[in-house]
Amino acid sequence: MRVVLAVVMVAVAAVAAVRGQGETFDLVIRGGRVVDGTGNPAFDADLGIRDGRIAALGRVAGVAGRVIDATGLVVSPGFIDVHNHSDTTLLDDPDAQSMVRQGVTSLILGEGGSAAPSARWPRFRDYFGELQRRGLSVNVGSYVGSGQVWTEVRGPRAGPPEARELETMRRLVGEAMADGALGLASSLSGPPGVWIDTDTLVALAEVAGQHGGIYSTHMRTEGKGVFASVEEAIEIGRRARLPVDIIHLKIAEHTMWGRMPELIALISGARVRGQLVEANVYPYRAGQNNLASIVPPWAHEGGTAALIARLKNPALRPRLEAEILGTAPTGDWYNHYTATGDWDGMLLVTLSNPRYQRFAGMRMNEVITALGKPPLDVLFELLVENDGSVPTVYFHHSEEDMRHALAQPFVSIGSDGSAVNTDGTVGPTHPHPRFYGTFPRVLGRYVREARVLTLEDAVRKMTSANAAKVRQFDRGLLRPGMRADVTIFDAARIVDRATYEQPRQYAEGIAYVVVNGTVVLDRGEHTHARPGTVLRSRAKAGSDQEPAR
């Protein structure tokens, strides 16, 4: 009996080993080492693609319109960036150069301030329609931002909202979800998000949950109140009955470094109780926000003009100084200055005023020295003279904490970056290196060099884990029938090149990128093809998910 069974198994294996005999494929990827996105061990196989989907996996025969020789390369699902800010840069450059060259095939947008609802795009169907008319090299999905909804209804004012305002906010979330938004996202560390109370977030998240969406949150603080912020995120998910994804999980307070295991235990406790709570990280020990985030929330109420007026008001100077320097109580506001520890932990990204653009890429302490003025005088001057906004990189969390978070099975990868290009025509003057290097950095530094992750688990965190979070179940795995988003890379050579000092450098080691069956990156060169589509929530998924033209 065992002999007969063995013969049958060998026969089945022989039949399964050759796929697609007599079939025609648009593209065959031959001879690669397949890392399929499940986290299971890699295996050697060919991949056959037809009509934008994976049609065969194994030893693929048949006729192909094109064959890519992937010998010596890894073949994986296309990377899904679950936390991206290309909402407007895609309109300037639909090629999404810096993301495609990292192996990214899908971008998830909309943290806090989403493209819609807005004056330009009253509904998400308007925004998605414009993206599709322009064409996309990558797939794009978006959350609806709680801050965007808040500002549309209430303007730049603190809360709580009136009952009729809350009802309007809930209606706007419902419209966004009906148009295909993937859930509700919040950014609570600064205005307008800092003004949105927990009960309001629950009320908005309930609507997203009723449409099958999730709650993705940049928490209220990642500093001294980080444990309370995680508890708030868990509470919102529990009360609103929807999954939670914590954006760029970190402890951004130098006096609390080393406590990431405790924070992981807090999240794990909720998971043990049956609640779906996950997180994402980027593989850097610095984040990016704005120099204006050093100014307390009350000074932002009323908008930019009101902020600048307060910064110019001598009568308010003592209060502002005391709260910024941490000598006066400020509640649960996340103070980037005290979290970082000093001015040398801040690197200026972009300055709109030509007279100050020479300071882009410099540390704040260097700017203070160059201007020869007291630190707060320089802070206020920079904000006043640059329309209240100076994007800034903050070195505020530790490498050890980041690595510990990265290794957790429920933590995936998101860049918190934007799609830009090296010629400087799109995006900030001196961006965070994550705009160019997030995914190759994980594979080069934390898989190959530091061995924090296995290759298979790293790919899972970039693909199927993120697809599952946003309920895009036809992407993120290499399986027959799945959408043909594929990244092919050299595991021995892949690495990020972007640094804090010289960020405008594309990563190395990505050979090919395929989006919906069309080659977008060919031997490391962008083809300018636009096969991307809009990724809509499950309620809207279906025949309307066609590639942008």
Side-chain angles (χ1 to χ4, degrees), residues 471-491:
R471 306 303 189 253
Q472 299 296 306
F473 296 118
D474 58 351
R475 300 181 193 272
L477 292 171
L478 297 183
R479 287 285 186 272
M482 302 289 282
R483 301 278 183 175
D485 294 342
V486 184
T487 293
I488 305 173
F489 61 92
D490 185 342

Side-chain angles (χ1 to χ4, degrees), residues 275-311:
Q275 188 174 350
L276 182 51
V277 183
E278 298 175 293
N280 62 73
V281 296
Y282 48 73
Y284 299 89
R285 62 161 301 261
Q288 182 172 320
N289 203 292
N290 199 291
L291 207 57
S293 65
I294 294 176
V295 180
W298 62 264
H300 292 260
E301 191 166 357
T304 300
L307 168 66
I308 291 174
R310 292 184 181 108
L311 294 178

Side-chain angles (χ1 to χ4, degrees), residues 47-65:
L47 199 68
I49 294 170
R50 183 173 54 242
D51 297 330
R53 292 183 180 271
I54 298 170
L57 177 66
R59 205 177 86 203
V60 177
V63 178

Side-chain angles (χ1 to χ4, degrees), residues 28-41:
V28 170
I29 301 167
R30 184 155 286 145
R33 185 72 172 166
V34 172
V35 178
D36 64 5
T38 63
N40 292 330

Side-chain angles (χ1 to χ4, degrees), residues 48-114:
I49 294 170
R50 183 173 54 242
D51 297 330
R53 292 183 180 271
I54 298 170
L57 177 66
R59 205 177 86 203
V60 177
V63 178
R66 178 180 176 184
V67 175
I68 291 177
D69 182 2
T71 303
L73 301 176
V74 171
V75 180
S76 79
F79 305 152
I80 299 172
D81 189 352
V82 78
H83 179 207
N84 193 278
H85 290 278
S86 301
D87 310 61
T88 57
T89 63
L90 285 172
L91 301 173
D92 299 323
D93 181 16
D95 284 348
Q97 289 274 1
S98 68
M99 291 294 155
V100 167
R101 292 171 183 271
Q102 292 185 57
V104 174
T105 58
S106 297
L107 308 178
I108 308 302
L109 315 175
E111 178 213 335
S114 52

Side-chain angles (χ1 to χ4, degrees), residues 152-211:
E152 278 296 294
V153 175
R154 192 169 169 79
R157 296 185 295 134
E162 299 174 6
R164 60 178 179 80
E165 291 175 326
L166 180 58
E167 192 55 40
T168 302
M169 292 178 190
R170 284 171 57 89
R171 176 178 59 78
L172 291 176
V173 172
E175 289 177 353
M177 296 300 299
D179 287 350
L182 302 171
L184 179 77
S186 66
S187 180
L188 306 178
S189 65
V194 70
W195 298 325
I196 308 176
D197 61 277
T198 303
D199 288 343
T200 298
L201 289 167
V202 170
L204 300 182
E206 281 177 343
V207 180
Q210 290 163 5
H211 288 78

